[in-house]
Amino acid sequence: METLIENSKNNDIESFTNLIQSIENDLYRIALIRLKNIDDINDAMQNTIINIYKNINKIKNYQYFKTWAIRILINECNKIYKQKSKSNNYESEIDSLPSETHCINDIDNKIDFELALKNLSYEENLIITLKYNSQLSCSEISKILRVNINTVKSRLKRAKEKIKQYYERKEGLDELRNR
């Protein structure tokens, strides 16, 4: 990745394209948490890529490139969300979006997992996505979200507990139906 960043700083478009492609799925999943409208997600992604391109020369520590890019995306998503919320035109279109959750192959489990995630707050959902989809540590998540590491850990624990409770309730309902 260091080579791609260095080449991108030297205006190598192919390297920049490869760099963005290496983090694109993670960025999309994160945008999907905050923005439910596909057009808004695409706008956030586009604005993020433009900001990365314009500011790539400012990055000094290459190991934090992904963290830096995610922070830019979160700021873009928050801007769009606030603009849409003020105009009261923000509609939830989550059901019409294609899912990017590749780790769950079975469609029933996938739907169940998405329903479980809907029970989480925005912050909890974001932390779960950063931790398990983007494979970031609590320390890295803390830097991205600019919150104390203990806050990240407690939100992660709370989110996992909510997901566990969701599955326990679902399992109980399934047992009642099978009787």
Side-chain angles (χ1 to χ4, degrees):
M1 187 172 280
E2 288 182 19
T3 306
L4 290 176
I5 296 170
E6 195 60 47
N7 291 343
S8 295
K9 283 183 164 188
N10 294 323
N11 295 320
D12 181 350
I13 299 300
E14 187 176 336
S15 291
F16 182 75
T17 301
N18 291 334
L19 184 63
I20 294 302
Q21 287 174 343
S22 73
I23 63 170
E24 185 175 34
N25 287 336
D26 290 331
L27 295 178
Y28 184 86
R29 284 186 202 108
I30 293 164
L32 182 61
I33 292 169
R34 183 62 161 165
L35 306 170
K36 309 303 182 202
N37 178 301
I38 191 72
D39 293 329
D40 292 340
I41 291 168
N42 289 334
D43 287 345
M45 293 286 293
Q46 182 177 5
N47 291 342
T48 299
I49 292 167
I50 290 168
N51 279 327
I52 291 170
Y53 183 76
K54 285 180 179 177
N55 296 300
I56 197 152
N57 287 320
K58 293 180 181 177
I59 193 156
K60 291 175 178 58
N61 196 340
Y62 296 167
Q63 73 184 42
Y64 294 116
F65 171 77
K66 187 175 177 180
T67 303
W68 175 70
I70 291 171
R71 184 74 240 162
I72 292 171
L73 175 72
I74 289 172
N75 289 337
E76 286 298 324
C77 289
N78 287 339
K79 274 190 230 175
I80 291 170
Y81 184 83
K82 286 176 187 173
Q83 288 171 348
K84 297 289 181 166
S85 294
K86 284 181 182 176
S87 64
N88 293 325
N89 290 334
Y90 198 74
E91 296 178 14
S92 176
E93 297 180 14
I94 189 80
D95 297 330
S96 65
L97 291 174
S99 176
E100 289 291 325
T101 310
H102 299 295
C103 60
I104 303 172
N105 295 326
D106 180 39
I107 191 70
D108 291 333
N109 289 337
K110 188 171 163 181
I111 290 168
D112 282 344
F113 188 70
E114 288 176 1
L115 289 172
L117 290 179
K118 283 186 178 183
N119 292 324
L120 303 179
S121 70
Y122 165 66
E123 291 83 11
E124 293 164 342
N125 201 327
L126 182 57
I127 288 171
I128 288 285
T129 301
L130 292 172
K131 177 75 175 161
Y132 296 106
N133 285 343
S134 299
Q135 302 293 312
L136 298 176
S137 69
C138 287
S139 176
E140 291 169 317
I141 295 169
S142 172
K143 289 175 187 168
I144 290 170
L145 300 180
R146 297 183 182 143
V147 296
N148 185 294
I149 191 167
N150 291 327
T151 302
V152 170
K153 289 177 181 179
S154 66
R155 287 179 183 167
L156 180 61
K157 182 179 178 181
R158 190 177 322 121
K160 290 184 342 186
E161 185 62 34
K162 284 182 181 179
I163 291 170
K164 179 182 172 189
Q165 288 173 356
Y166 169 82
Y167 280 110
E168 286 172 349
R169 282 193 307 268
K170 183 186 178 310
E171 196 174 282
L173 289 174
D174 287 345
E175 285 179 20
L176 285 174
R177 286 186 197 131
N178 291 334
R179 288 185 184 176

